[in-house]
Amino acid sequence: MTHVPVQAHVHFSQAASERRDFTAIAQWIAPGAKVLDLGCGDGSLLGYLRDTQSVRGYGVEKDDANVLACVKNGINVIQMNLEEGLAGFEAQSFDVVILSQTLQAMYNTERIVQEMLRVGKEAIVTFPNFGFWKHRFQLIGGNMPVSKNLPYQWYDTPNVHLCTISDFDNYCRQHHITVRERLVITEGKTIHLFPNLLGSLAMYRCGIAP
Amino acid sequence: MSDISSVGVVTPQTAHFSEPLALKCGATLPAYVLVYETYGTLNADRSNAVLICHALSGTHHVAGKHHEEDKHPGWWDNMIGPGKPLDTNRFFVIGVNNLGGCHGSTGPSSPHPETGKPWGASFPVVTVEDWVHAQSRLADQLGIKTFAAVVGGSLGGMQALQWTLTFPDRVRNALVIAAAPNLTAQNMAFNEVARQAIITDPEFHGGDYYEHSVVPRRGLRIARMLGHITYLSDDAMGAKFGRKLRTGEIKYSFDVEFEMESYLRYQGDKFAGEFDANTYLRMTRALDYFDPAADYDGNLSAALAKAKADFLVISFTSDWRFSTARSREIVKALLDNERNVTYAELTAAHGHDAFLMPDQHYHDIVRAYLENVE
């Protein structure tokens, strides 16, 4: 199942080691796992996981330029729109399904996490925490938050379903999703105290309670 | 001016096969020839060969031209050549005319070995599997054990897929473009109308028209006109012709009045003058019969379990004859089998014909994929 390495093969482990969220996700994935990355972009996360964890991976992506980048990077990518669900994937056919910083840009948000847990034995969801203190300050100041993790203006943002860590906790509870592990980071550092206030990026490892 | 990205002037070659070929229909071809062309150079370990499978009306003439002034390059010349997406500086590319064809490979218009007269109606109904077998023998003759890639669009894509099932160890990558795991009833219905147009032409003579020195031109013409309608999208026809009148005014006649009619008649006439009706019947039947899942209770995933190749599957949004949904079925079956597969669903206006068009993004995808093929 390993993809044939190529002459100009891009090695992701180095460039990506800077990305704390990548290393955190990698820690949650067993070597050789079968992984589906939803909204995989140019495939750098999958490339990183392939190089560090020897995962067997597939990406899902709708954007032409990103699909092309994945092909260049030797990443298996399926071009489709996540909003239509994951009907093309069998139930429980992946060890892990990842939704990395894409949740907030989806319309069918409620359905997608359940779809992830239908297709995968486990789901990893990461999203920018709207409750981060810098965001709250900007709102108190009277403006929509713009930050490193939310780099858009209100009029050009693709984000339509922003939430806080507290919101996502509630969502999981209401939808019978078990949070197996949660990691909150800011500037690459793990946040333990007041995560909903001090955390800029939230990462969840979820499953369905047995 | 010579085009440096063209493979230049090419000469078709003929491969002779004396070992009989058992066909799926039960008949056996005692001996046959395949006409083919090659572009690029086979490397020392014979590992850089790419086979191009043609569609319904395609030929072995895939790239380049037959003489310096040739105005009609091969049918996929925009894809194949030095520095092109399928780069002949790296790959040794083979185009082959399929059995039952009418461009030099043994087919209904070829002389029957016993009578010396054209096979005509007695030429067997060949299938995609038969073609793949015949192609594999050509590969044997050329000393090619495995193909770096087998590539095809439409009916050609079906052959690429079949290659991975019949010879899983002989194809490392399959590029299955604008194809389907089988034809839908609607799709087969178009084929049936096309065949009926040919068969009911008074000059068809049950398929033995050669001995009457006629051809069922009218039937073939209508068959091709129908085909062309299904190869284009409504939008593409609208953009190309719309309701444009040839002379600017309605004449209240049944002559060519709309530009679209002119196009269809031109395509029909051109095709009827150069293609063999018996070949057309057989090509459409090969399409109808292709159904790898049939032996597995319709379970395509089970059918594709044999495949070992890596796959690039491509479909085009406006292709309604081989819709994106059909390509997604192939992708799903490959995912179920944990094959390496990439699927690109290309936004294109041209309908089924899009797979032959020089679209930048389409070519970028093919180029990028093939650059990673060893």
Side-chain angles (χ1 to χ4, degrees), chain A residues 64-83:
Chain A
D64 282 348
N66 279 334
V67 169
L68 178 60
C70 286
V71 177
K72 284 183 177 166
N73 292 331
I75 300 292
N76 289 319
V77 60
I78 310 300
Q79 186 165 27
M80 57 175 270
N81 187 352
L82 283 180
E83 304 288 357

Side-chain angles (χ1 to χ4, degrees), chain B residues 267-303:
Chain B
Q267 293 294 343
D269 286 335
K270 185 165 149 255
F271 191 71
E274 60 193 26
F275 208 82
D276 180 62
N278 278 320
T279 291
Y280 201 84
L281 297 181
R282 280 155 185 77
M283 295 285 163
T284 57
R285 264 306 188 217
L287 271 166
D288 294 350
Y289 291 153
F290 180 72
D291 189 8
D295 291 338
Y296 297 84
D297 289 331
N299 184 340
L300 187 63
S301 300

